[in-house]
Amino acid sequence: MPGFELFGDKERKQVNEVLDTGVLMRYGFDGMRKGQWKALELEKVLSEKMQVKHTQLVSSGTAALTVALASAGIGAGDEVIMPTFTFVASFESILAIGAVPILVDVDDTLALSPKAVENAITERTRVVMPVHMCGSMADLKALKAICDKHDLLLLEDACQSIGGTFENKPLGSYGDLGCFSFDYVKTITCGEGGAIITNNDTYKVNADHYSDHGHDHVGKDRGAETHPFLGYNFRISELHAAVGLAQVERLDEFLTIQKKNYTVLREALQDLPNVEFRRVPEGGEESYAFLTFFLPDADTAKKAHGELGKAGVDACFYWYDNNWHYYREWQHLIEKQSLGKLPKEIHEQLPDYSKSDFSASDQWIGRTVSCLIKLGWSENEVKERAQKMVGVLSKL
Ligand SMILES: *Cc1c(COP(=O)(O)O)cnc(C)c1O
């Protein structure tokens, strides 16, 4: 997955074009820019690639989720359904706008279980936020049907799965809003950065204003612009956008390498009797950022993860014990450990997660091992890796 592996002259050229103008900000300074508008240009390229009307770039994937929620008018006391298996950014963005994260089980897709989502809906639910973890996706068709039935917003977190598709639509473009991250470990990177995509004109205008202190961006000088509603600063800089522009033009190249390396490993493992691959919902095609599989039980999975490490197969994860990606280690959320006081709604509405039953998630995540697919491996390195993996997994 990491875009940081493949880096070079194209990125350097884009950044130098910005440095040559001295305008590091995406807005204003028209006279000095020498025609360079990197953020605007990247938004255009992303909209085309993702087959949507609008893209709003922001400073991170977490900012993208926050701005996406705010742009749709989500706020204090609104409930947002999110999975137990995701990055902490999911609940951070929900809490940031005063809304309430409602954790819900994942199934064998390792993304939101549609059944569990339906059971978690209350009169305060406003959003369903599936997270397409590790290069694959949630069952978007089932989730969309639920959202349509209950008049809820579908917000896709596609931060780890850029390039994957569902029913031939790019991940992120199927729901009402989609979010990407371009941090340093994602498939393509800006260093730091994120994007919101949508076909909704109002959400785009709101995201544009909200991410820049409420600026209405009517094209006067910045000081003369007005502020129709409160906003914050979630802007991306021209330098970051310049890096992203070089990277996005290489996305297809990265995806091709990713798929090739994934396929070698998957084919090597597919006849092992104790290995079962994670389910990709019908209509979905992965981005192939990770190869993810189940072992017969949690003890075997944990052992497999340890043995893979010892055999030199790096970058494999046992998510069940992970501090950042699974609810079991989110004590700061469970105990509401905030620096200042949290909004009243969160105290009143946040379930006591120490008493929640997420055994359905534990069943799947406990058995899961997930290995990052790198782009920089040589053909020989991939083959050796496949042999080592078969060696470990066939002897458990
Ligand atoms: C990386 C990531 C984010 C947040 O992105 P940042 O750019 O690091 O803020 C959100 N969700 C998921 C699933 C991620 O992997």
Side-chain angles (χ1 to χ4, degrees):
M1 170 160 88
F4 65 77
E5 291 181 276
L6 297 181
F7 229 88
D9 290 344
K10 288 184 180 143
E11 286 76 9
R12 207 169 290 119
K13 179 171 178 287
Q14 286 287 353
V15 171
N16 279 333
E17 283 176 7
V18 174
L19 290 174
D20 287 345
T21 68
V23 182
L24 311 188
M25 188 180 183
R26 69 163 298 179
Y27 298 115
F29 302 92
D30 298 25
M32 293 164 61
R33 309 189 76 99
K34 302 180 188 156
Q36 299 295 338
W37 296 90
K38 299 300 185 193
L40 263 184
E41 206 179 327
L42 179 52
E43 284 172 347
K44 226 171 118 196
V45 174
L46 277 168
S47 294
E48 271 164 34
K49 260 206 149 13
M50 298 304 153
Q51 301 163 28
V52 289
K53 269 169 89 176
H54 306 293
T55 299
Q56 179 67 45
L57 283 172
V58 288
S59 51
S60 72
T62 312
L65 292 166
T66 308
V67 173
L69 288 167
S71 75
I74 307 305
D78 292 335
E79 292 183 353
V80 180
I81 290 176
M82 57 163 276
T84 52
F85 176 50
T86 175
F87 184 50
V88 289
S90 304
F91 61 77
E92 288 170 353
S93 62
I94 298 165
L95 293 171
I97 55 156
V100 182
I102 301 295
L103 269 55
V104 161
D105 274 322
V106 296
D107 60 18
D108 57 346
T109 63
L110 300 182
L112 274 180
S113 151
K115 250 191 223 133
V117 167
E118 194 128 42
N119 289 336
I121 292 171
T122 72
E123 59 193 18
R124 288 164 167 156
T125 309
R126 297 282 309 279
V127 184
V128 176
M129 188 197 273
V131 184
H132 306 315
M133 286 296 280
C134 305
S136 187
M137 77 238 34
D139 185 343
L140 284 168
K141 189 176 176 188
L143 292 177
K144 182 153 178 19
I146 294 170
C147 287
D148 288 347
K149 184 171 150 201
H150 296 273
D151 195 21
L152 306 174
L153 209 73
L154 183 59
L155 193 172
E156 294 174 69
D157 178 341
C159 290
Q160 293 195 6
S161 303
I162 192 167
T165 60
F166 189 80
E167 294 178 347
N168 295 318
K169 291 194 174 84
L171 290 180
S173 73
Y174 193 91
D176 299 287
L177 291 143
C179 291
F180 298 109
S181 162
F182 306 122
D183 78 22
Y184 195 50
V185 296
K186 299 304 200 284
T187 303
I188 54 172
T189 185
C190 294
E192 300 282 0
I196 300 139
I197 59 172
T198 185
N199 287 308
N200 183 302
D201 300 341
T202 305
Y203 299 164
K204 165 64 185 179
V205 171
N206 289 348
D208 168 272
H209 296 9
Y210 186 80
S211 58
D212 185 24
H213 302 291
H215 268 270
D216 61 10
H217 295 148
V218 290
K220 304 181 233 175
D221 79 274
R222 276 180 68 76
E225 286 174 348
T226 59
H227 27 65
F229 48 78
L230 293 170
Y232 295 91
N233 180 0
F234 292 114
R235 291 189 306 254
I236 194 163
S237 82
E238 280 290 275
L239 289 171
H240 291 89
V243 176
L245 206 45
Q247 289 262 299
V248 78
E249 276 158 16
R250 304 172 69 187
L251 176 60
D252 293 340
E253 173 200 336
F254 292 0
L255 292 171
T256 305
I257 303 170
Q258 220 163 244
K259 183 172 182 175
K260 191 171 115 222
N261 292 348
Y262 170 106
T263 305
V264 173
L265 299 179
R266 178 155 177 150
E267 281 175 0
L269 267 51
Q270 70 187 1
D271 295 327
L272 296 177
N274 57 358
V275 170
E276 181 194 337
F277 296 107
R278 162 238 201 123
R279 179 169 67 88
V280 177
E282 202 187 319
E285 170 150 15
E286 297 179 66
S287 77
Y288 306 102
F290 287 78
L291 179 64
T292 303
F293 47 91
F294 305 120
L295 289 146
D297 53 64
D299 287 342
T300 314
K302 200 167 175 150
K303 185 169 169 215
H305 176 250
E307 296 291 322
L308 285 168
K310 276 187 232 158
V313 181
D314 65 342
C316 291
F317 298 89
Y318 184 59
W319 297 118
Y320 187 80
D321 287 342
N322 188 282
N323 284 343
W324 299 97
H325 295 85
Y326 196 47
Y327 82 94
R328 291 177 72 255
E329 301 296 334
W330 295 342
Q331 278 84 14
H332 58 331
L333 172 69
I334 295 164
E335 292 162 20
K336 304 179 200 173
Q337 303 272 9
S338 178
L339 282 176
K341 267 194 207 158
L342 285 166
K344 177 168 109 292
E345 287 85 358
I346 291 166
H347 274 286
E348 286 171 2
Q349 277 171 253
L350 190 73
D352 180 356
Y353 287 123
S354 66
K355 297 198 176 77
S356 295
D357 174 13
F358 293 127
S359 52
S361 301
D362 290 339
Q363 288 294 326
W364 292 112
I365 302 289
R367 292 174 50 201
T368 300
V369 173
S370 192
C371 296
L372 188 67
I373 302 295
K374 288 200 185 165
L375 304 169
W377 293 330
S378 69
E379 230 165 275
N380 259 341
E381 281 171 323
V382 184
K383 269 191 210 144
E384 271 175 38
R385 198 176 168 86
Q387 280 167 3
K388 283 184 194 164
M389 289 177 84
V390 171
V392 168
L393 299 172
S394 58
K395 280 195 211 80
L396 291 169

